[in-house]
Amino acid sequence: MDEKNFNEYNQEEMTEKQIRILEAAIKVFSEKGFEGSRTSEIAKEAEVAEGTIFKYFRTKKDLLLSLLFPLSIKFLKPFVMKSAEEIIERGKDKPPDEVLRELLMDRLKLIKKNIPLIKTVAIESFYHDELLEPIKDKIAPQVINILDNYVDAHKDNGDFKDYDTRLISRSLMSMLMGYIVLSSILPEYFSLYDDEEEIKKIVDILLNGIKR
Amino acid sequence: MDEKNFNEYNQEEMTEKQIRILEAAIKVFSEKGFEGSRTSEIAKEAEVAEGTIFKYFRTKKDLLLSLLFPLSIKFLKPFVMKSAEEIIERGKDKPPDEVLRELLMDRLKLIKKNIPLIKTVAIESFYHDELLEPIKDKIAPQVINILDNYVDAHKDNGDFKDYDTRLISRSLMSMLMGYIVLSSILPEYFSLYDDEEEIKKIVDILLNGIKR
Amino acid sequence: MDEKNFNEYNQEEMTEKQIRILEAAIKVFSEKGFEGSRTSEIAKEAEVAEGTIFKYFRTKKDLLLSLLFPLSIKFLKPFVMKSAEEIIERGKDKPPDEVLRELLMDRLKLIKKNIPLIKTVAIESFYHDELLEPIKDKIAPQVINILDNYVDAHKDNGDFKDYDTRLISRSLMSMLMGYIVLSSILPEYFSLYDDEEEIKKIVDILLNGIKR
Amino acid sequence: MDEKNFNEYNQEEMTEKQIRILEAAIKVFSEKGFEGSRTSEIAKEAEVAEGTIFKYFRTKKDLLLSLLFPLSIKFLKPFVMKSAEEIIERGKDKPPDEVLRELLMDRLKLIKKNIPLIKTVAIESFYHDELLEPIKDKIAPQVINILDNYVDAHKDNGDFKDYDTRLISRSLMSMLMGYIVLSSILPEYFSLYDDEEEIKKIVDILLNGIKR
DNA sequence: TATGAATGAGTCTTCATTCAT
DNA sequence: CATGAATGAAGACTCATTCAT
């Protein structure tokens, strides 16, 4: 990274070895944290020599910042593709709860497939501004924009109440994140049903509230 | 810590210097992460010699584990004191939305006052089982128990629907956590109103949902 | 060392750098003692970076324990090779005093060439059981066995009196060690003649005693 | 010590606490070596506060050098008192082997009672010239002088052969030291009989040799 | 006089990074 | 390109020594 911003990586010029290193880094970083990880362990995990890492990534920090690339590839791309339009399009002939369930279920699966990557980027962004900035500037806007569009569409067609759009978007994210985080850290307390059932109840509460 | 479990620390046998070190550790750990923090910096922050840290805390890791003590003191004690009974008691002559607002507002203030401590313990518990265990065994049960009691009381008197108690508790936590985390990381997107107003809307959504 | 016992080192798999470190360690340890030595000084003496030491020897203690290898190589191997048989063989056509002189002279030269190594291992074995054990189990038995064989042969052919074999072996060692130690620490008192002459007199006393 | 030479200590101006510290130091030094010993452990052993040690001995090194005082008190004084004259006096009406046995037995007991002190001073004198010098200049001459006198007396009256006096003295020391050191380090090999019997055989060999 | 809390210089050891092969 | 031996700066931790009480 460094001078190049992470978009420049979008060219699929990554060698197989480079990808292996990046994936090893995701694994090790997510298990030990960035500072707690050793380049030697990443090298072993990637089955390359330690020196090879530094052929592709100038520093260990570079390796961390480069995680933004797989993050946007794996996470953002499908997010964007299955975009608001599509969801709303299909939503026209379905009740809003069903659409919302589909949407959250889809995101849940996507997140669960990429927990180590997301966990690492999320946590390390607290400590490294160089990581936080691109998230703020590139990734968050896209995610938020899609959610906002979805919410706006439902507000427009009268499905949702007239809350601030962003408040509703945040509520969706909160409920999904809360489920993922709490049920994974404290499964004995918070892992109640299977994902399908959980999402159903979450959507129910989100739409109708808990008050009788 | 060592052999004693953290409850044994409840005796206020801490010297002023020990407290200063612990507070410096909270500050530095929360800014740099545990592994990224230097004992030299903690010493400077606490205005003690580096060696003094190790008089009180045998290792740097010990210092981390000792954060469980202020966590339970600062965070759990008032949580327990303003207990379910009190809340429900006062709740009898008030509408449930007002009670819930008070409850969340109170927790929000408490959390916001202790962000660095909570952030550190939360994040580092991913990487240090010795930290996770006491949280799972001692702290989480107490917090969850109080919430559950509150929710059960409202279910019993017909205020809340008949969802699984734990699901409702989790929803309360999710919405509060989601607000705190998202509005602090991405304030330009998610810091919408002042805390008072935010809590009001969060409670409104929780109770009544977003569906028109 | 670690799990492997020191015999496994017998493969000459040592790099030149490893040997240089070991020799530097012998020098510095013998001058300052193990605890009084600094790894930084050993590194300088070996002309390697301090970190390099720890590539080959996991800890400073490991470096000490590894001295057993050169000790058995340099000291035991020739001891064993010029073995009892050879000495006795040659002894057949020579008077016993001449043979004993040759034997002690030979050992004296060997010891004097390796004073720093022997001194270090001897002294540090007081303080480190991991060092003492292999000496007791591997090295001492071999040395003693050779001496015993030599003594027994002379007892058998009537040269020596019928003392306990081990008593005679010990007397040989005592007289040699006593000479080496006393004449090196207090040369002004105990360095009387040259080695050749000293050994001659020592053998004379050992064989015939001091009583007129 | 430092400026004062160790004779100045001869004034029995030592407090009970000072003595306790010195004895604790002997114990700990002999078990761990000087550099391997901690002043904290010596303080605990002496049942005084750590700071108290430094009231009496300016530095840890001072504590080591001060061992010369008990060494000369405990070891030299009786050596000198039961002096050559006395031994020779009594020796007049006894055969020389009996006298030698008594002499060595007496020294053996004295040494065995003070092993930790002697071991420490002996070993540390390799590494600290400040310790070696007084030994060379004050202690060794006295011990050697007594031995020499004893040997000379026996040479004069025709008991001993006409070897160099110092050579005979050294042989006595070597045989005694060799027995003590070897039978304590490798008792399974070299601890053959009880002290009385050992000394008898040692004297026998010294006087008459091993040759038939 | 005796204490022991506090100090900080000094130690071993780790680990990201370099570079000759 | 890839390697991995070598580096040395930096870190956690120790411990002799000081000093206020």
Side-chain angles (χ1 to χ4, degrees):
Chain A
M1 296 307 278
D2 242 14
E3 272 94 78
K4 335 184 198 177
N5 80 47
F6 80 99
N7 272 332
E8 294 180 41
Y9 271 89
N10 275 2
Q11 316 133 40
E12 242 114 43
E13 56 178 19
M14 269 200 196
T15 71
E16 180 259 348
K17 222 163 253 200
Q18 209 168 153
I19 291 169
R20 247 165 46 212
I21 292 169
L22 226 33
E23 273 167 2
I26 290 171
K27 182 170 191 292
V28 178
F29 285 167
S30 77
E31 284 165 4
K32 315 267 175 94
F34 173 72
E35 294 275 3
S37 298
R38 309 290 151 233
T39 51
S40 59
E41 191 178 353
I42 295 170
K44 197 182 292 172
E45 183 74 35
E47 292 177 284
V48 297
E50 208 169 346
T52 307
I53 291 178
F54 295 90
K55 277 274 175 300
Y56 292 106
F57 306 91
R58 281 202 300 109
T59 64
K60 187 186 169 196
K61 183 84 161 271
D62 244 51
L63 191 48
L64 174 66
L65 299 182
S66 298
L67 295 188
L68 289 173
F69 177 51
L71 184 75
S72 55
I73 288 294
K74 291 190 186 176
F75 191 65
L76 264 193
K77 264 194 174 167
F79 213 116
V80 172
M81 278 159 60
K82 250 191 205 179
S83 62
E85 287 80 49
E86 186 198 337
I87 292 161
I88 294 161
E89 198 59 40
R90 290 195 298 146
K92 282 199 170 133
D93 25 312
K94 287 179 193 169
D97 58 341
E98 194 175 320
V99 184
L100 193 49
R101 274 203 297 274
E102 267 179 51
L103 177 69
L104 292 191
M105 198 64 211
D106 188 65
R107 293 310 102 172
L108 175 62
K109 280 180 187 158
L110 189 61
I111 292 171
K112 283 207 162 178
K113 249 192 299 193
N114 294 289
I115 291 266
L117 173 58
I118 294 167
K119 173 185 166 186
T120 300
V121 172
I123 290 178
E124 297 306 332
S125 69
F126 282 117
Y127 307 125
H128 306 273
D129 284 353
E130 312 91 310
L131 200 51
L132 185 58
E133 290 312 323
I135 293 175
K136 272 182 157 168
D137 297 348
K138 309 266 175 187
I139 298 178
Q142 297 194 48
V143 174
I144 291 168
N145 182 51
I146 290 161
L147 268 177
D148 282 0
N149 284 345
Y150 166 78
V151 171
D152 278 339
H154 277 283
K155 275 167 65 180
D156 287 350
N157 73 10
D159 285 338
F160 292 171
K161 291 178 189 153
D162 194 34
Y163 289 116
D164 186 300
T165 301
R166 198 55 59 72
L167 174 68
I168 297 178
S169 299
R170 198 184 68 202
S171 298
L172 296 181
M173 294 178 73
S174 296
M175 289 292 278
L176 190 62
M177 277 173 41
Y179 165 54
I180 293 170
V181 172
L182 288 172
S183 72
S184 77
I185 298 178
L186 299 167
E188 56 275 51
Y189 294 108
F190 291 120
S191 206
L192 307 169
Y193 320 103
D194 63 19
D195 281 350
E196 206 88 35
E197 188 67 18
E198 287 276 12
I199 291 296
K200 214 169 120 184
K201 308 220 179 207
I202 287 169
V203 167
D204 206 36
I205 290 179
L206 265 169
L207 288 176
N208 305 305
I210 56 176
K211 196 159 87 178
R212 184 178 298 274
Chain B
M1 296 314 278
D2 242 11
E3 270 95 79
K4 335 185 196 178
N5 80 47
F6 78 99
N7 273 331
E8 295 180 42
Y9 270 89
N10 276 1
Q11 317 132 40
E12 243 110 47
E13 54 178 21
M14 268 200 198
T15 69
E16 179 259 346
K17 216 160 265 202
Q18 210 168 152
I19 291 169
R20 244 164 50 212
I21 292 170
L22 226 33
E23 273 166 3
I26 291 171
K27 180 168 190 294
V28 178
F29 286 166
S30 76
E31 283 164 5
K32 313 269 175 95
F34 174 72
E35 294 274 4
S37 297
R38 308 292 151 228
T39 51
S40 58
E41 191 179 352
I42 295 170
K44 198 179 292 173
E45 182 73 35
E47 290 177 287
V48 298
E50 201 168 354
T52 306
I53 292 178
F54 295 92
K55 274 265 175 309
Y56 292 106
F57 307 92
R58 283 220 321 267
T59 62
K60 189 187 167 195
K61 183 83 161 273
D62 239 54
L63 190 49
L64 174 65
L65 298 182
S66 298
L67 295 189
L68 289 173
F69 177 50
L71 184 75
S72 58
I73 287 295
K74 291 191 186 176
F75 191 64
L76 263 194
K77 262 194 175 166
F79 214 115
V80 172
M81 278 159 61
K82 253 192 204 178
S83 65
E85 287 81 48
E86 186 197 335
I87 292 160
I88 294 160
E89 198 58 42
R90 290 196 298 146
K92 280 198 172 131
D93 26 314
K94 287 180 192 169
D97 58 341
E98 194 175 322
V99 184
L100 193 50
R101 274 202 299 273
E102 267 179 51
L103 178 69
L104 293 191
M105 198 63 211
D106 187 65
R107 296 308 102 175
L108 175 63
K109 278 181 189 159
L110 189 59
I111 292 170
K112 284 207 160 178
K113 250 194 298 191
N114 293 288
I115 291 269
L117 173 58
I118 294 168
K119 173 185 166 187
T120 299
V121 172
I123 290 178
E124 297 305 332
S125 69
F126 282 117
Y127 307 124
H128 307 273
D129 284 352
E130 312 93 309
L131 201 51
L132 185 58
E133 290 311 322
I135 293 176
K136 272 184 158 169
D137 297 348
K138 307 264 176 187
I139 298 179
Q142 297 196 47
V143 174
I144 290 168
N145 182 52
I146 291 162
L147 267 178
D148 282 359
N149 284 345
Y150 167 78
V151 171
D152 279 337
H154 278 285
K155 274 167 64 180
D156 288 349
N157 72 11
D159 285 339
F160 292 171
K161 290 177 190 154
D162 196 34
Y163 289 116
D164 186 301
T165 300
R166 198 55 61 72
L167 175 67
I168 297 179
S169 298
R170 199 185 67 202
S171 299
L172 297 181
M173 294 178 73
S174 296
M175 290 291 279
L176 190 63
M177 277 173 42
Y179 165 54
I180 293 169
V181 172
L182 289 172
S183 72
S184 77
I185 299 178
L186 300 166
E188 55 274 53
Y189 296 106
F190 290 119
S191 205
L192 307 169
Y193 320 102
D194 63 19
D195 281 350
E196 206 86 36
E197 189 65 19
E198 286 276 11
I199 290 296
K200 214 168 121 185
K201 308 219 179 209
I202 286 169
V203 167
D204 206 36
I205 289 180
L206 266 170
L207 288 176
N208 305 305
I210 58 174
K211 197 160 85 176
R212 183 179 299 274
Chain C
M1 294 316 276
D2 239 14
E3 271 95 80
K4 335 185 197 178
N5 79 48
F6 77 99
N7 274 332
E8 294 181 44
Y9 270 89
N10 276 1
Q11 317 130 39
E12 243 109 46
E13 54 178 22
M14 268 200 198
T15 69
E16 179 260 345
K17 216 158 266 204
Q18 208 168 154
I19 291 168
R20 246 165 48 213
I21 292 170
L22 225 32
E23 274 166 3
I26 291 171
K27 181 169 192 291
V28 178
F29 285 167
S30 76
E31 283 165 6
K32 314 269 175 94
F34 173 72
E35 294 275 3
S37 298
R38 308 288 151 232
T39 51
S40 58
E41 191 179 351
I42 296 170
K44 200 180 291 172
E45 183 72 36
E47 292 177 285
V48 298
E50 202 168 355
T52 306
I53 292 178
F54 295 91
K55 274 265 173 311
Y56 292 106
F57 307 92
R58 283 220 319 268
T59 62
K60 188 187 169 197
K61 182 84 161 274
D62 240 55
L63 191 49
L64 174 66
L65 299 181
S66 298
L67 296 188
L68 289 172
F69 177 50
L71 184 74
S72 57
I73 288 294
K74 291 190 186 176
F75 190 65
L76 263 194
K77 261 194 176 166
F79 214 115
V80 172
M81 278 160 60
K82 255 192 204 179
S83 65
E85 286 81 50
E86 187 198 336
I87 292 161
I88 295 161
E89 200 56 43
R90 291 193 301 146
K92 280 199 173 133
D93 24 313
K94 287 179 191 170
D97 57 342
E98 196 175 318
V99 184
L100 195 48
R101 274 202 298 273
E102 269 179 51
L103 179 68
L104 292 191
M105 197 63 211
D106 188 66
R107 294 310 101 173
L108 176 62
K109 279 181 190 156
L110 189 60
I111 292 170
K112 283 207 162 178
K113 249 193 300 189
N114 294 288
I115 291 269
L117 175 57
I118 294 167
K119 173 185 164 186
T120 300
V121 173
I123 290 179
E124 297 306 331
S125 70
F126 282 117
Y127 307 125
H128 305 273
D129 285 351
E130 312 92 310
L131 201 50
L132 185 58
E133 291 310 323
I135 293 176
K136 275 184 155 167
D137 297 347
K138 308 264 175 187
I139 297 179
Q142 297 196 49
V143 175
I144 291 168
N145 183 51
I146 289 162
L147 268 177
D148 282 0
N149 284 345
Y150 166 78
V151 171
D152 279 337
H154 279 282
K155 275 168 63 181
D156 289 349
N157 72 9
D159 286 339
F160 291 172
K161 292 179 189 151
D162 196 33
Y163 290 116
D164 187 301
T165 300
R166 198 54 62 71
L167 176 67
I168 298 179
S169 299
R170 199 185 67 202
S171 298
L172 298 180
M173 294 178 72
S174 296
M175 289 293 277
L176 190 63
M177 276 174 41
Y179 165 54
I180 294 169
V181 172
L182 289 170
S183 73
S184 78
I185 297 179
L186 300 166
E188 55 276 50
Y189 296 107
F190 291 118
S191 204
L192 307 169
Y193 319 103
D194 64 19
D195 280 350
E196 206 88 35
E197 191 65 16
E198 287 276 13
I199 291 296
K200 215 169 119 183
K201 310 221 177 209
I202 286 169
V203 166
D204 207 36
I205 290 179
L206 265 171
L207 287 177
N208 307 302
I210 57 176
K211 198 159 86 178
R212 183 178 299 272
Chain D
M1 295 308 278
D2 242 13
E3 274 94 77
K4 334 184 198 178
N5 81 45
F6 81 100
N7 273 331
E8 293 181 43
Y9 272 89
N10 275 4
Q11 314 132 41
E12 242 114 43
E13 56 178 18
M14 269 200 198
T15 70
E16 179 261 347
K17 221 163 255 200
Q18 209 169 153
I19 291 169
R20 249 167 44 214
I21 291 170
L22 226 32
E23 274 167 0
I26 291 171
K27 181 169 192 292
V28 177
F29 285 167
S30 76
E31 284 164 5
K32 314 268 175 92
F34 173 71
E35 293 276 3
S37 298
R38 309 288 150 234
T39 51
S40 60
E41 191 178 352
I42 295 170
K44 198 182 290 173
E45 183 72 36
E47 293 178 282
V48 298
E50 207 168 350
T52 307
I53 292 179
F54 295 89
K55 275 275 175 298
Y56 292 107
F57 307 91
R58 281 202 299 108
T59 64
K60 188 188 169 195
K61 183 85 160 273
D62 244 52
L63 191 47
L64 174 66
L65 299 181
S66 298
L67 295 189
L68 290 172
F69 178 50
L71 185 74
S72 54
I73 289 294
K74 292 190 185 175
F75 192 64
L76 264 194
K77 263 194 175 166
F79 214 115
V80 172
M81 279 159 61
K82 254 193 204 178
S83 64
E85 287 80 49
E86 185 198 338
I87 292 161
I88 295 161
E89 199 57 43
R90 291 195 299 147
K92 281 200 171 130
D93 26 313
K94 287 180 191 169
D97 57 342
E98 196 175 318
V99 185
L100 194 48
R101 276 204 295 274
E102 268 180 50
L103 179 68
L104 292 191
M105 197 63 210
D106 188 64
R107 295 309 102 172
L108 176 61
K109 278 180 190 160
L110 189 60
I111 292 171
K112 283 206 162 178
K113 249 193 299 190
N114 293 288
I115 291 267
L117 174 58
I118 294 167
K119 173 185 166 187
T120 299
V121 173
I123 290 178
E124 297 306 332
S125 70
F126 283 117
Y127 307 126
H128 307 273
D129 285 351
E130 312 92 308
L131 200 51
L132 185 57
E133 292 312 323
I135 293 176
K136 273 182 155 168
D137 298 347
K138 309 265 174 187
I139 298 179
Q142 298 195 49
V143 175
I144 291 168
N145 182 52
I146 291 162
L147 267 176
D148 283 0
N149 284 346
Y150 166 79
V151 171
D152 278 338
H154 278 283
K155 273 168 64 180
D156 288 349
N157 72 9
D159 285 339
F160 292 172
K161 292 179 188 152
D162 196 33
Y163 290 115
D164 187 301
T165 300
R166 197 56 58 73
L167 175 67
I168 298 180
S169 298
R170 198 185 67 202
S171 298
L172 297 180
M173 294 178 72
S174 294
M175 290 292 278
L176 189 62
M177 275 174 40
Y179 164 54
I180 293 169
V181 171
L182 288 171
S183 73
S184 79
I185 298 179
L186 299 166
E188 54 276 51
Y189 295 107
F190 291 120
S191 205
L192 307 169
Y193 320 102
D194 63 20
D195 280 350
E196 206 88 34
E197 189 67 15
E198 287 276 12
I199 291 296
K200 217 169 117 182
K201 310 221 177 206
I202 286 169
V203 167
D204 206 35
I205 289 179
L206 265 171
L207 289 176
N208 306 304
I210 57 175
K211 196 159 87 178
R212 183 179 298 272

